[in-house]
Amino acid sequence: MWIICLLIPAVWGGTELLKNADFENPHFSSTDWYAMAGTISATSDAYHGHTAAKISKRYHDYGSLNQFVTVKKGHRYFFWAYVKILNYASGTDKETVSAGIAVKERSSGKTHYLGFGSTPYIQTNQWHIIGGDTEITNVDISEARVYIRPSDQSVDFIVDYASLQEVYPLSGFPGDANKRIDSVRKGDLTIRLDDHSVEPSGLTVEVQEMTGLFAFGSAVNAGAFVDPRFKGYQDYFYKNFNWAVIENDLKWTNMEPQRGHIDYNTAMNAIDALLHHGIKVRGHNIFWESNSPAWVNHLSGQALRQAMEKRMNDVVGHYKGKLQHWDVDNEALSGDTLVRHSGDRNLTMWMFREVHKIDPNVKLFLNDHEIVNYNKHTVALEDQAVYYKAAGVPLSGIGIQSHVRHPIDLAAIWARLDEVARAGLPIWITEMTIEGVPEKDKPQMFDDLLRLYFSHHAVQGVLLWGFWSQRMSRPESALCTGSDCTVNDSGRRVSHLVQTEWKTHETHSIMKGQTVRIRGFKGSYVLRVKHHGHTIHEETFYLGYQGTDLKVSLTGSNSSPHVDQILVG
């Protein structure tokens, strides 16, 4: 059995709202934990500490573990707990555990059931994380109770180490985000002249960031990206982004709609063009639980596994060395078609291990939706990542799709990011779109959401799910429109962020005995040493987490200096 050790305190509001949250008091009652339509008992089979609550003999589908809590109308709360199910329902090998809060209106007595989220495909006798966040109905409340229940009443389960805390608004946004950006995304750069250098007047140093460490990118249409008719599309991309993902043409359905007839070239032509321009590329995706070629849907058991083995060897082997990431099993929390047809509940873990054998250098990702834009699978994705890590699966990062719609609650998104980050893996925003927002408000929403993501310590990259209205699946989120990809207000705002506000380009005068200090964004740079405006030397360097010190050694004369060397420390 895998024991998952993740004892990280919650980070939402700081005040614990549950009684006996750690379950160490075994005398459960209606004043803390109680069972509805079932039996509660104390057990030493605990996730943390010595005691947990066991729920058994449930005689109704609403049989659950409950606790009355005090919450405020219109406020948002985050809940999580650790759960172990002890059996499956008869005839099945999967179970979903959900958590929520039931609030009763004072005036009408009506009860509103508000879901925190659900964790699907829970394995028996393993600890899993459940929970999520929800906003309390904006009505006067007479009572509220948190509940936890598996979907089938015949399933017995254990609960331990729970938390309920308020999610407070981001009252300091964007100022607090900008402070985090300075702390997380920048490093210290110092430049000075060697003590033995000549001392010319009119000497300056220009520092220009060429490629940022943080990934800003977009999905691209593979065909249009190498078509000379769409130069405006290509130009906007190359001007603004340093990462790309092929939107559709690496998917199994697109590559092999007929068995044995594989189209490698459509994606490869675009990948080669991107690599030629120094762009890094993500692979999306090897498998997609809800979208396989029609011929695959008729396979099962060993025949399906053999077809999947061939798919992995074909696509991973063919693009080996060209891709930085692979999304291995897309949206695995939202469907399990391949898993069911294979008869192997651990099929996705097998996928990861097999892909890693074929290309040990490419980073492998989970990638799912309804993580930050909705609360359905936030904690489920965290649970899946922690579970895979404990099982030794070669998992490198977590992809969060981020198709957000108006109204956009930045505090909720931030809390959900924090929760997923508890898994201890890098997070990438892989498919960002903004929809349902009036056109005049859209530039600010792009600004707010990108600023939020850029300021989070666990997020290493943000990729938009397309940017040209004529070559994207969600044109409402476009940054450019029309046949020539005319940049709109949102596109100009995004360009300003990634090319100006979040990029370092400074020029300073320098003389012997003086140290130039720059707080710059982490990434690859060029240093230009100039004398009376004329470049006398260029040097590339990297500014990373530890900072960089440059010492310039000048020879020649004061009227005609030369850079002898630049020491990087």
Side-chain angles (χ1 to χ4, degrees):
M1 180 175 71
W2 298 313
I3 302 297
I4 301 169
C5 295
L6 188 68
L7 302 181
I8 304 173
V11 293
W12 323 131
T15 301
E16 180 57 62
L17 301 177
L18 294 175
K19 305 179 191 70
N20 197 15
D22 60 4
F23 292 83
E24 289 304 286
N25 180 357
H27 304 294
F28 305 124
S29 69
S30 59
T31 61
D32 52 43
W33 298 106
Y34 70 95
M36 178 180 290
T39 300
I40 185 171
S41 59
T43 175
S44 60
D45 185 0
Y47 171 78
H48 173 59
H50 304 287
T51 308
K54 178 181 177 180
I55 311 302
S56 58
K57 300 178 182 178
R58 294 190 298 146
Y59 52 86
H60 202 284
D61 58 6
Y62 57 72
S64 53
L65 176 67
N66 297 259
Q67 182 174 141
F68 287 106
V69 294
T70 301
V71 293
K72 303 171 187 176
K73 66 178 183 179
H75 288 227
R76 184 173 296 275
Y77 296 86
F78 212 111
F79 172 82
W80 51 256
Y82 289 84
V83 170
K84 178 190 288 190
I85 64 169
L86 302 178
N87 61 284
Y88 290 125
S90 178
T92 185
D93 63 350
K94 62 182 180 179
E95 183 60 49
T96 296
V97 177
S98 301
I101 185 166
V103 295
K104 183 180 289 187
E105 287 189 35
R106 188 178 304 277
S107 59
S108 66
K110 179 181 178 181
T111 299
H112 300 265
Y113 293 90
L114 310 174
F116 285 121
S118 60
T119 300
Y121 316 127
I122 283 184
Q123 306 252 359
T124 56
N125 296 306
Q126 309 289 335
W127 286 107
H128 289 268
I129 315 166
I130 65 163
D133 69 285
T134 196
E135 184 176 336
I136 304 302
T137 308
N138 197 21
V139 296
D140 287 334
I141 300 167
S142 60
E143 68 176 34
R145 60 177 172 86
V146 168
Y147 61 86
I148 302 168
R149 62 173 176 243
S151 57
D152 192 283
Q153 70 186 64
S154 67
V155 174
D156 296 339
F157 63 104
I158 300 171
V159 181
D160 196 9
Y161 201 63
S163 179
L164 177 68
Q165 297 188 30
E166 184 171 351
V167 178
Y168 292 111
L170 298 181
S171 57
F173 187 87
D176 288 347
N178 292 335
K179 292 176 183 177
R180 289 192 300 270
I181 288 170
D182 183 83
S183 173
V184 174
R185 303 302 172 195
K186 289 184 175 181
D188 291 321
L189 171 66
T190 63
I191 309 169
R192 64 185 180 89
L193 297 183
D194 184 274
D195 292 340
H196 302 292
S197 294
V198 296
E199 299 185 64
S201 61
L203 194 69
T204 58
V205 285
E206 178 188 8
V207 172
Q208 183 176 7
E209 180 187 351
M210 304 307 291
T211 304
L213 172 63
F214 192 88
F216 286 111
S218 175
V220 298
N221 178 282
F225 210 74
V226 294
D227 192 324
R229 295 176 299 169
F230 305 126
K231 189 173 183 301
Y233 177 49
Q234 298 151 22
D235 287 348
Y236 184 89
F237 178 91
Y238 287 129
K239 179 182 178 182
N240 292 284
F241 302 122
N242 58 5
W243 276 72
V245 58
I246 306 301
E247 183 177 12
N248 291 313
D249 291 289
L250 288 173
K251 296 172 181 175
W252 200 0
T253 300
N254 293 67
M255 290 188 69
E256 196 179 3
Q258 297 181 27
R259 190 170 193 174
H261 299 276
I262 305 173
D263 175 13
Y264 294 111
N265 293 333
T266 300
M268 184 65 86
N269 291 339
I271 291 169
D272 283 343
L274 290 159
L275 294 177
H276 179 73
H277 284 81
I279 304 298
K280 295 180 179 180
V281 186
R282 299 190 79 246
H284 176 80
N285 49 61
I286 302 172
F287 300 108
W288 187 356
E289 284 291 343
S290 60
N291 188 353
S292 297
W295 60 268
V296 174
N297 295 331
H298 300 292
L299 302 178
S300 61
Q302 189 60 28
L304 174 60
R305 187 178 287 262
Q306 289 172 352
M308 294 177 68
E309 287 176 343
K310 185 176 185 302
R311 161 69 175 167
M312 287 184 282
N313 281 292
D314 287 343
V315 70
V316 178
H318 194 83
Y319 298 103
K320 185 176 181 178
K322 292 182 178 288
L323 303 177
Q324 302 291 317
H325 300 171
W326 266 116
D327 293 331
V328 176
D329 189 18
N330 195 45
E331 299 178 3
L333 293 172
S334 302
D336 66 341
T337 302
L338 295 172
V339 170
R340 283 187 291 104
H341 289 183
S342 73
D344 181 1
R345 192 41 62 184
N346 293 316
L347 185 74
T348 300
M349 292 195 287
W350 169 77
M351 296 177 196
F352 273 83
R353 293 186 174 110
E354 292 301 306
V355 172
H356 183 67
K357 291 177 187 177
I358 300 166
D359 186 354
N361 296 318
V362 70
K363 294 181 178 180
L364 307 183
F365 276 68
L366 296 167
N367 188 58
D368 228 301
H369 65 156
E370 297 183 318
I371 310 300
V372 293
N373 52 336
Y374 299 106
N375 63 357
K376 183 177 180 181
H377 286 146
T378 307
V379 175
L381 183 60
E382 174 198 359
D383 174 72
Q384 186 182 35
V386 171
Y387 193 73
Y388 280 26
K389 284 175 62 180
V393 173
L395 173 64
S396 301
I398 299 172
I400 295 176
Q401 291 185 10
S402 186
H403 297 294
V404 301
R405 296 192 62 85
H406 180 76
I408 298 171
D409 187 331
L410 295 178
I413 292 174
W414 184 261
R416 294 164 189 167
L417 278 177
D418 273 347
E419 183 65 27
V420 177
R422 293 197 330 138
L425 287 167
I427 293 173
W428 283 62
I429 306 302
T430 56
E431 303 182 17
M432 176 180 151
T433 56
I434 292 177
E435 300 170 272
V437 179
E439 200 63 35
K440 65 181 179 62
D441 299 328
K442 204 173 295 180
Q444 188 58 50
M445 287 314 308
F446 269 104
D447 188 305
D448 289 347
L449 196 54
L450 285 171
R451 193 174 302 276
L452 189 82
Y453 288 148
F454 192 46
S455 72
H456 197 284
H457 71 279
V459 177
Q460 293 189 354
V462 176
L463 277 72
L464 309 181
W465 199 239
F467 60 92
W468 182 25
S469 61
Q470 297 195 5
R471 289 296 185 279
M472 61 189 300
S473 60
R474 299 170 183 257
E476 190 179 345
S477 190
L479 304 181
C480 64
T481 60
S483 59
D484 58 352
C485 193
T486 301
V487 181
N488 59 24
D489 288 343
S490 294
R492 281 185 283 273
R493 180 67 69 89
V494 171
S495 291
H496 171 77
L497 292 175
V498 301
Q499 290 300 321
T500 302
E501 184 175 343
W502 296 335
K503 208 155 200 174
T504 302
H505 188 184
E506 299 182 15
T507 298
H508 296 268
S509 298
I510 191 170
M511 61 183 65
K512 195 156 68 172
Q514 173 193 5
T515 299
V516 172
R517 302 182 187 278
I518 296 172
R519 184 82 174 146
F521 288 99
K522 296 166 187 173
S524 299
Y525 280 77
V526 61
L527 169 70
R528 298 184 184 95
V529 181
K530 296 183 178 182
H531 185 231
H532 294 305
H534 299 289
T535 301
I536 60 174
H537 186 81
E538 285 192 359
E539 187 91 8
T540 59
F541 68 94
Y542 185 81
L543 177 59
Y545 290 96
Q546 302 302 317
T548 299
D549 299 315
L550 303 178
K551 184 166 68 173
V552 181
S553 178
L554 290 178
T555 57
S557 64
N558 289 345
S559 61
S560 182
H562 305 284
V563 175
D564 182 49
Q565 65 176 347
I566 296 179
L567 297 178
V568 180

